[in-house]
Amino acid sequence: MRCRSKNKINIAHDSFIALKKQIVLMKKIFTIAMISVLISAGSCKKDSDFLNVPPKSVVTTDVVFSDPALVLSVLGDLYNRVLDFSSLDNGWTTFADFGESFPSDNGQYGFVQNRSWDYGTWGTWDYGYVRDLNLFIDNVTASTKLLAADKSRFLAEGRFLRASYYFEMVKRMGGVPLITQTLTYDNSGNVIGLQFPRSKESDIYDFVISEAEAIKGLLPSDPTEKSRATKAAALAMEARAALYAGSIAKYGATTPQVSLSGGEVGIPSSMASGYYTKALAAAKEIISGSAGSYKLYQVLPNLSDNFAAIFLDKSSVNQESIWVEDFKALAGKVHSFTTNDQPYSVSDEASDAGRLDPSLNLVQSFEKLDNTFAPIATKDGAGNPIYYADQQDPFAGRDARLAGTVMLPHFFWKTAYIDIWGGYLLSNGNIISSDDATHYASLPGSSAQVQVVGKDGPTPTGEPLRTQTGFYVRKYLDPATGSGRRGRQSDVNFIRYRYAEVLLNAAEAAFELGQTSDAALYMNQVRARAGLTHPLTAGDITFDRIVHERRAELSFEGHVLFDMKRWRIATKVWDGNPESLNDLTSNISSATKRNTQPWGLYPYKYYSPGSPNDGKWVFREVLPSPVTGVLNFRLGNYYSQINDGIISANPKIKRQPNQ
Amino acid sequence: MKIKFHHIIIFILLLSAAGCKLDNVKPPSVKLSGQLMYKGSPIGVEYNQVPFQLYQTGYKGNTPIGGTFDQDGTYSVLTFNGNYKFTIPGGQGPFQWKELPSGGRDTLNIALNGDQTVNIEVTPYYMIRNAQIAAASGKITANFSIEKVITDASAKNIQTVSLFVNKTQFVSPGDHAAEADLDGGAITDPANVSLNVTIPTFPVTQNYVYARVGIRIAGVEDMIFSPVVKVSY
C-alpha cells in the first residue's frame, strides 16, 4: 500500500505542484483512514473477552492439582514451613539456653541474664499454616487427574504435616482448636461460626496418634527417603507423641495446678498406660523393620567421630536418620550454623565464630565408662589442684558421645588444633593472661613477650565469639571446606527423627509399663554404640537413667525443653536459685539436679620452671562473668501464653493456667 | 549556602514550633495504688514475680492492664477514670485468691474517679511475725515466728524457710549474696525460728547489708517475705 502511494507521490513530483499538493492531502486522508480501520478492527472483540485475559503468571488450582510435579512444589512449600524448636536455618540461638550452653555473643547475653522466661516464649498459633494444609488436602482429594498412587501419597503427606504441626502446637500450647477442614467466611459480619473452643490436650494427642496410624500404610517404607514423610516418620511421630501424652498424664499428677477444668491443659493420670502402650507399639514397629531397615549408625572406628558423623553423613549409608530438613550448598538452601559456631581460631570468617559454647553442666553429665557419674576432676582428695599432662586427659574414659557432641580443648578441627586455655598459672597462684592471643605479656624471670591466652579464649575479659566455657559445640558443625564462610555456608541437614530416639522412646515407654528388662535392652543398644559396654540390667533402669540417657544422646537437638516440661521437672531443674560450685558438682545423676547457670571449665598452663608440673594443665571451674541471671521456670511457663489478641477475637478460648 | 549558627537556631525553632500542636489524647493521669494486705499487715513478695491484671469493663476487647507487685507488696497503675475489675491470675502469689464456683477467678470492682488507694486483702498460707534481723560477730541473724493462717483442707506445708542477704535493696531467691535455709520439716517451734548466715564480702566494702526472711510453701511458686531491713555493722 505504502509502496504504491510512494509511486503516486513520485508521479506527482514529476507533474504539477498543485497536483502534488492534492496527492499529499490524499495520502494523509488515506493514512488516517487506514489507522482508523485498523483501530476499529482491533477493537472488534467482545468486551467481556477483552477483559478476560488469562494471566500468565498465575497457575490455577485445577491446573496445579492435575500435575504431580506441580503438586510436589506446593507440598515443598508446606514442608519448608514445618516448625522445629531447634532449627539450623532459624539461627544458632534456637539451640542455646536452658543451662546447657553459654551464648558467646554480645547481643545474646539475655539468655544468661534474664531472670525468667516470658509466658509467651515458645508459643505458636499459625492457623494460616493449618488452613493451607487443609486446603492442600481438600484440593488433592478433589483432584481427578492425578494417578491414584500419587494422590494417596500426597494426601498422606498433607495429613502427616498437619498432624506434625498439631503436635508442635500441643507441646507448646496444650489443647488448641482442632480445625481439620477449611473454614469460609460468609461476609455476614457474624464470625461465631468461625470461633472454635480449645480441644482437650488429650484430644490433640489422640488426633496426632490416629492420623499417624491412618496414614502409615499410605507412605513409602524407604529408608533412603529422608526429607519427605515415610512410614517410619509417621510411626516415629506417633511414638514420640504418645510418649509425651503418657508422661503428661503420669507426671502431671505432681503439678495439679498446671491444668484446666475442661482438660484443655492436663491429661488424667488414668490415661497414662494407654499412651505408653501406644508409644511402645509404634516404636516397636520401626524397630522390627516393618517400616524399612533402620539401624544405628555404626561406621567409623572412633566412636566419637562416629557419633558426630550421624549428623553429617547424608549418604544412604546413614540408616539412622528417619526424617530430616535437608539443605543443599550452592543451591540456595543453606544455613549459618557452622558460620556462627565454628572455632574462633580456625574460623572461615574473621568475626563469625564460637557463639554456642556447651556448659560444664552438660559436659560433666556424660558418665564414665563404668556407668558411674563424676564431675570433671580438678582437685585431688586433699584439695590440691590436679596437674594434667594433656589437655584432654580430664575427659578421658567417658561416654564417647561427650567428644562427639562437644569440642574439648585441643581438638583437631578442619586444619588445626583449637587453642583453648585461659592463661598461665604461676606457682604463687597468680594468673597471667590477656584479652587476646595476639596481646603478649612476659612471664616472671623473663622479658620475652609470649602468648598468654589461647586463640580461642577463654579470656579473663570475656571476649565474645570465642569460647567462654572452655568448649565449643561439635554436633551439627560441618567440617566441609568453606562451610564456615558466609558466602557458601553449610548444608548439613537437621534430623527431626532418628532411630536412636526411637529406641530411647521405646525404652522409656517400656520402663513406664514395668517392662524394665525390655527397657534395658533398648537402652543398651544406644549405649553400646557410645562405647558404654557394661550393659545396664533391668534393675538399673530408673527414671533418672531415662532422663540422663536422653540428655546424653539428644542434647542440641531441640528436646530438652519439651522433655523437662512433660516430666514436670522443669520447675525443679530451673528453680530460680543460683547454681553454686557445690550444686554443680554434686548429684550429677539426679534428674532434678539444678541447672540454672552455665558454668565453664578453664584450662591454665602451669608455669613454674624447675617444677615437675611445669607446662602441665590445671583446670578451674568458672562461672562466665556475663552470667548474672538465673533460669527460673515458672508454673505459667509449662504452657505458652495465648495472647490477648487471640482471646479478644475468640472469647471461647480459655486462658492458660498460672498466667 | 554556608550553614551559619542562626540557620541552626531557626531550624530548631521551626522544629519546636511544629511540635506545638495540642495532643488530642490526654495521657493517663489517674493513679491507682495500694498494697497486698492481710488484716492490716503488708505481705512481702519477690520483686516483679507476682502479677496482677486490671480489666476495664465496657471496653472493647479483653486485654488487661498488667503489672507486678513490688517487694513490699505495693502496686501502682497510671490510667483513666472508669470502672475496673482487679484480679490476680491463677497460681500466682503466696496466698489464696477466691475462686468462683464457675471456675474463674474472683474480681474486685474498682470504680476509679480520681487518684485512689485500694489495698488488696488476701489470705496468705503463712505469715512471718516479729522478724528481728541483726548483725553480730560477723553473722546476720534472724529471729522470727511463723503463723499458719490457712489451716483448713487447702492448707499447705512449709517447704523451706530462708534468710536472704544482699548488698542492694533487692533481696530475693534470684538476687542475693548469701542465703541460709532451714527445711520445713526441721522446724521444731514455729513460734521461734532462728537462721543465721556469715556476712558476705563484696568487691566494694560496705558496712551494711539488706536482709529479709521468706517462706517457700510446698506447691506454691511464690515465696512470702518479711519486710526488707537494712542491717548496719
Side-chain angles (χ1 to χ4, degrees), chain A residues 115 119 257 635 648 658-659, chain B residues 46 55 62 89-90 92 219 221:
Chain A
R115 174 92 175 81
Y119 286 136
Q257 315 93 311
L635 288 170
S648 293
N658 308 307
Q659 290 179 2
Chain B
E46 187 172 354
Y55 290 88
N62 198 20
Q92 303 285 359
E221 190 167 272

Side-chain angles (χ1 to χ4, degrees), chain A residues 587-610:
Chain A
N587 282 329
I588 293 173
S589 64
S590 165
T592 52
K593 178 182 161 55
R594 184 175 288 161
N595 193 12
T596 52
Q597 293 179 311
W599 280 73
L601 187 69
Y602 291 10
Y604 293 98
K605 214 180 260 187
Y606 189 63
Y607 183 78
S608 175

Side-chain angles (χ1 to χ4, degrees), chain A residues 115-116 119 257 261 571 575-578 628 630 632-636 641 644-645 647-648 651 655 657-659, chain B residues 46 48-49 51 53 55 61-64 89-92 102-103 164 172-176 179 216 219-221:
Chain A
R115 174 92 175 81
S116 48
Y119 286 136
Q257 315 93 311
S261 54
T571 36
D575 68 351
N577 286 310
T628 54
V630 177
N632 182 27
F633 192 95
R634 296 172 289 171
L635 288 170
Q641 188 171 33
D644 292 318
I647 294 178
S648 293
R655 274 175 199 282
N658 308 307
Q659 290 179 2
Chain B
E46 187 172 354
N48 202 20
Q49 289 296 315
Q53 292 174 336
Y55 290 88
N62 198 20
T63 307
Q92 303 285 359
S102 61
F164 295 109
S172 72
D175 196 1
H176 60 262
E179 174 183 0
R216 186 172 290 283
V220 175
E221 190 167 272

Side-chain angles (χ1 to χ4, degrees), chain A residues 245-409:
Chain A
S247 40
I248 289 167
K250 179 172 181 192
Y251 296 102
T254 60
T255 52
Q257 315 93 311
V258 186
S259 64
L260 288 175
S261 54
E264 293 89 348
V265 164
I267 299 176
S269 57
S270 58
M271 297 170 81
S273 71
Y275 282 124
Y276 283 129
T277 310
K278 282 180 185 163
L280 185 56
K284 271 184 174 168
E285 214 172 324
I286 300 175
I287 295 166
S288 71
S290 76
S293 61
Y294 290 92
K295 61 178 186 188
L296 291 176
Y297 186 84
Q298 281 165 301
V299 175
L300 301 178
N302 179 316
L303 297 178
S304 297
D305 292 347
N306 181 67
F307 186 72
I310 300 169
F311 307 95
L312 306 173
D313 188 346
K314 297 168 77 168
S315 74
S316 60
V317 173
N318 190 342
Q319 284 170 280
E320 170 150 358
S321 56
I322 295 174
W323 186 38
V324 306
E325 180 179 18
D326 207 352
F327 293 88
K328 195 166 163 69
L330 312 173
K333 176 101 172 142
V334 288
H335 58 79
S336 56
F337 188 79
T338 301
T339 314
N340 289 327
D341 304 314
Q342 60 196 332
Y344 188 82
S345 65
V346 204
S347 171
D348 291 339
E349 292 284 351
S351 59
D352 244 345
R355 289 183 168 86
L356 188 63
D357 307 341
S359 63
L360 176 58
N361 318 23
L362 176 69
V363 167
Q364 64 167 14
S365 78
F366 290 89
E367 68 204 279
K368 303 211 289 189
L369 291 176
D370 59 358
N371 300 348
T372 61
F373 295 89
I376 307 291
T378 55
K379 288 182 176 156
D380 63 14
N384 299 314
I386 301 177
Y387 299 92
Y388 289 101
D390 190 292
Q391 267 192 310
Q392 299 211 334
D393 283 351
F395 312 99
R398 288 195 181 240
D399 189 335
R401 288 171 291 190
L402 168 58
T405 308
V406 173
M407 278 188 203
L408 301 169

